[in-house]
Structure formats: structure tokens, C-alpha cells
Amino acid sequence: MPTTESVPTGRPRGFDADQALDRAVEVFWRQGYEGTSLGDLTEAMGIGKPSLYAAFGNKETLFAKALARYTEGPAAYAAAAFSQPTAKDVIRAFLQGAVLATTQPARPAGCLGVQGALATSGTAQQPHDLLVEWRNGARTDLARRLRRARDEGDLAEDQDPERLAAYLTTVTFGIAVQAASGMGADELHAVAEEALAGLRL
């Protein structure tokens, strides 16, 4: 997605929009959608509310942009996994990528896409629905790649790509929750390898 957008004619924007968006990602990632106030965002992004609205829209719109940014950045491991040559390589990269993405010392623990709006009120239905779509999309994309692997003879005929994708995304989202709860990378890498070892590949 574009990382900068046009702004209304007038004095030039006095801040780096990419950097500001990265800071918004971290705030939403750490605090969730409802746990984040506009004051939290403007303070972290180093801009005032008028600049935030002009560059990114309202809070819901900013959250959508932050999630897209997160998908292209920390969560890019998923798309990279799909380019691996074999089903086993795809699955290992998917699981281990989830561990790396959720346990980086310089970043919030866990996953923005899992924790961002798990518990929301009716006023936050749009972010909630957006994240449901995001998580379901990960499962759909993985199932598509596994279906291709089965068609190519790289995955057993009796393997159900949809069911396998549902299992694997459940494991990766569980990894994210455990990372947010303080479980370390070494232990989570072992969990990922255990899940991989239990598959018929």
C-alpha cells in the first residue's frame, strides 16, 4: 500500500508520515485498539490531532493503515513462507516466522493482528471485523498454498489443505498469545518444531 498520501493544499506537512505510521503501529500493537487514545497516538507520532486527521483520517482509518503496515513489515513472514519450495518448508517458515515476529526484544510481544481488538465494545466493531478478516485471510492464503502443494504431489492426497491451514494458523495465533504472556523465543521455537513433527509430511 502507499506509505504516504496527498494532503490538502496549504502549508507542507512538517513530519515524516512513514515514521509517524510506524509509531502508530507500535502503540496499537502494545495497547490494542480500545486501549489506545488519540492522545497516545499524537504523543507517540509527534503530531497534533489536526495533522493526524489530515494525513491518516480518524482513529479507525489509522488503525487500518497501521494493520496494513504491520502486514508488510513484522508479519511479512507469512507471505515469505508461501514462496518456500516445499510444503514442509512453507509450514516451518510459517511457524518459526510467527515466533520471530512475536518475540523481538525491540518490539511489543505478541501480534497486532491477534491482540489488537480481541475484546472490543460495540463502538469498535469496525476494527474488530477488520482483524477477523485479517486472521481469516491468513488461513485462506495458507490453505491456497497447501492446495497447490497437494496438486503438485508435494502433500499427501489425503491431507485436507483447509483443515491443515486452520490447525497451523491456530498454532501461530497461540504462539502470539503465549509470547504476549511472556513465553520466550526458545520455548516457542520448540513448540513450533513439535507442531511440525506431529504432521504427516
Side-chain angles (χ1 to χ4, degrees):
M1 80 171 198
T3 55
T4 58
E5 298 184 5
S6 61
V7 295
T9 303
R11 64 186 178 84
R13 177 184 291 161
F15 65 94
D16 185 320
D18 288 337
Q19 186 179 74
L21 184 55
D22 286 337
R23 290 173 178 172
V25 169
E26 183 163 336
V27 176
F28 282 128
W29 190 351
R30 192 180 303 279
Q31 299 177 196
Y33 179 81
E34 286 202 314
T36 298
S37 68
L38 284 175
D40 294 331
L41 291 165
T42 55
E43 181 179 356
M45 298 166 77
I47 59 177
K49 288 183 182 179
S51 294
L52 187 153
Y53 287 126
F56 302 107
N58 62 18
K59 182 182 170 183
E60 288 182 348
T61 304
L62 175 57
F63 183 76
K65 293 177 187 296
L67 182 61
R69 184 79 159 189
Y70 175 82
T71 304
E72 295 170 352
Y77 71 86
F82 302 151
S83 67
Q84 294 296 312
T86 68
K88 188 171 185 177
D89 290 335
V90 168
I91 293 169
R92 173 173 279 117
F94 190 72
L95 293 172
Q96 298 291 4
V99 176
L100 290 173
T102 58
T103 59
Q104 290 296 310
R107 293 172 173 165
C111 171
L112 170 61
V114 173
Q115 296 160 231
L118 283 178
T120 55
S121 65
T123 60
Q125 191 62 43
Q126 184 175 329
H128 173 273
D129 293 347
L130 178 66
L131 286 180
V132 169
E133 181 181 353
W134 187 87
R135 292 190 294 268
N136 288 341
R139 185 179 71 234
T140 298
D141 291 343
L142 180 56
R144 184 182 301 113
R145 177 62 182 86
L146 294 175
R147 200 177 306 117
R148 192 186 98 195
R150 191 180 63 179
D151 292 345
E152 293 173 349
D154 183 43
L155 191 66
E157 279 289 330
D158 61 350
Q159 286 274 30
D160 183 333
E162 282 72 24
R163 182 176 298 178
L164 183 54
Y167 167 72
L168 292 168
T169 51
T170 299
V171 172
T172 58
F173 296 151
I175 284 171
V177 172
Q178 294 286 31
S181 300
M183 190 176 288
D186 289 347
E187 194 170 359
L188 289 171
H189 278 302
V191 168
E193 285 300 317
E194 188 70 21
L196 182 64
L199 300 176
R200 293 180 292 106
L201 298 174

